Amino acid sequence: MVAKPLTGEQIEELKGLGETHFWPHSRPTGDMSDDTGIKLVTHSKGIWVEGPTGERHVDLIAGMWLKNIGHGRKEIADAVYEQMLDVSYSPGGTVAPATVKLASKVASLTPDPESRVYFVSGGSEAVETAIKMAKKYQYNLGERGRWKVISRQNSYHGATHLCMSLGFNHVNRPNDYGPLVPGNIRISNPGLTYRTLPGDWDMQYAYDLEKAIIDEGPDSVAAFIGEPISAASGIHIPHPEYWPTIREICDKYGIVMICDEVINGFGRTGKMFAVENWGIKPDIMTVAKALTSGYLPIGAAIASSKIGKVMEGEGPQTFKHLLTFGGSPPSCAAGLKNLEIMEREKLVQNSADNGKYLYEKLQELSDHRIVADVRGGMGLIAAVEFAKDKKTFEKFGGKFESRVGHLMEEHSLLGRGLDEIMSFSPPLTITKEEIDFVVDQTKKVITQLEKEF
Ligand SMILES: Cc1ncc(COP(=O)(O)O)c(C=O)c1O
């Protein structure tokens, strides 16, 4: 089924309703203007999304880093339709086959196939669940004073109060909401700061974890959380020893290591999970988004057997935690079909191969006056950072960021120019020809920016 283009009158009516009643996420309310506002989309297929009058754009960040199998897959719709007719919700104390099958499938893909999977509705819930799980693990071991969590400045782990306290970046504006959740300690992130400082800051920042643990008192720290490759912190590929060192430090002090794979998971970095790039085994992984490629909401906290076993069985050791939509059968049916498609079409391999191709092509942009850095090379996740000064990374400021967004749109690219950084994380189905198109369009965007700034 393909949506028909809307008439001018229908578009105006929808914009009117949106202006008054629709509350968009992380955007100003009421702005549905063609120049600055929320856009209507009415159709999507593959890497493309279409507006109400038929104008097409490449979905450059796969929706919100989740459309890994691309848009418009009928197979997913069929699987969900059948599941909804069979069991659309499993009452308390029951479970649908699709939910059990997906738990087992996901566990089999992780570095610890004996893992146990706790389903939730999205990434923030997955992170909240993982943190509670880590604290309960410590409690069950008799480590009753361990309740603090160490995370990294400028990470993003979600929008709920706890997640905001963990992530603490300017997108969340956490200072606007009163005191943060106590016991969340933030260390530096190898992300954006690395490039303006001399020396090997990635590794310094890894050792900062040990310093923070000692400062806080090792017996008070329950967990550490970080995204393997942080999109919020500029898509910097960390030093090869960064994650193995974090793993060693967590082991040394008995701290639960949580890897937030909400963006990285399910092929984005050229492996099923990003942690495989460094051969590390987290204690808990959080996932969401691409588990269903965004066809239906889902998330999960995946406990390795080390964590899961401590909470097995009936009694005070049980993890008492309940979220109404965790393991929703239609979402799980979508997840199963999504993973089947990813395997059948070898999309993780495509991410590795075409990610490399994309990164090489993006290097062609490096000579431009305003391009300060091109990052990527590990799957289909890359960034082009603009700056007034290539050495100091001084930002243009003013209208630059919004001009990036507008010019991208004018050149058939729908994505992000946040912080004067263009993110490249298209569906994993993208072909080399489509990458050529994306890079050509990006060149045009940059040429125009250079004329204006
Ligand atoms: C790394 C990471 N963790 C957690 C979240 C929160 O996910 P959600 O928006 O589904 O709650 C996000 C969202 O973008 C994310 O990027």
Side-chain angles (χ1 to χ4, degrees), residues 57-79:
H57 290 90
V58 173
D59 182 0
L60 207 49
I61 55 166
M64 189 93 74
W65 286 280
L66 47 59
K67 274 274 156 231
N68 286 15
I69 63 167
H71 293 268
R73 295 276 194 162
K74 185 171 179 301
E75 272 182 273
I76 300 263
D78 290 342

Side-chain angles (χ1 to χ4, degrees), residues 64-65 122-125 127 156-159 227 260 262-263 288-289:
M64 189 93 74
W65 286 280
S124 301
E125 279 187 7
V127 169
Y156 185 82
H157 294 292
E227 322 95 302
D260 185 348
V262 166
I263 282 183
K289 296 184 186 272

Side-chain angles (χ1 to χ4, degrees), residues 206-244:
Y207 297 124
D208 278 357
L209 174 60
E210 184 159 26
K211 270 195 238 138
I213 294 167
I214 291 167
D215 286 351
E216 292 298 323
D219 293 348
S220 72
V221 181
F224 167 81
I225 184 167
E227 322 95 302
I229 297 173
S230 175
S233 200
I235 307 181
H236 163 60
I237 312 291
H239 186 287
E241 285 306 314
Y242 177 83
W243 280 106

Side-chain angles (χ1 to χ4, degrees), residues 155-166:
S155 283
Y156 185 82
H157 294 292
T160 58
H161 221 90
L162 170 65
C163 294
M164 192 173 64
S165 307
L166 295 169

Side-chain angles (χ1 to χ4, degrees), residues 399-412:
K399 291 206 177 320
F400 190 91
E401 183 184 284
S402 62
R403 281 303 287 154
V404 177
H406 288 140
L407 286 169
M408 280 167 67
E409 222 178 296
E410 274 173 33
H411 292 89
S412 307

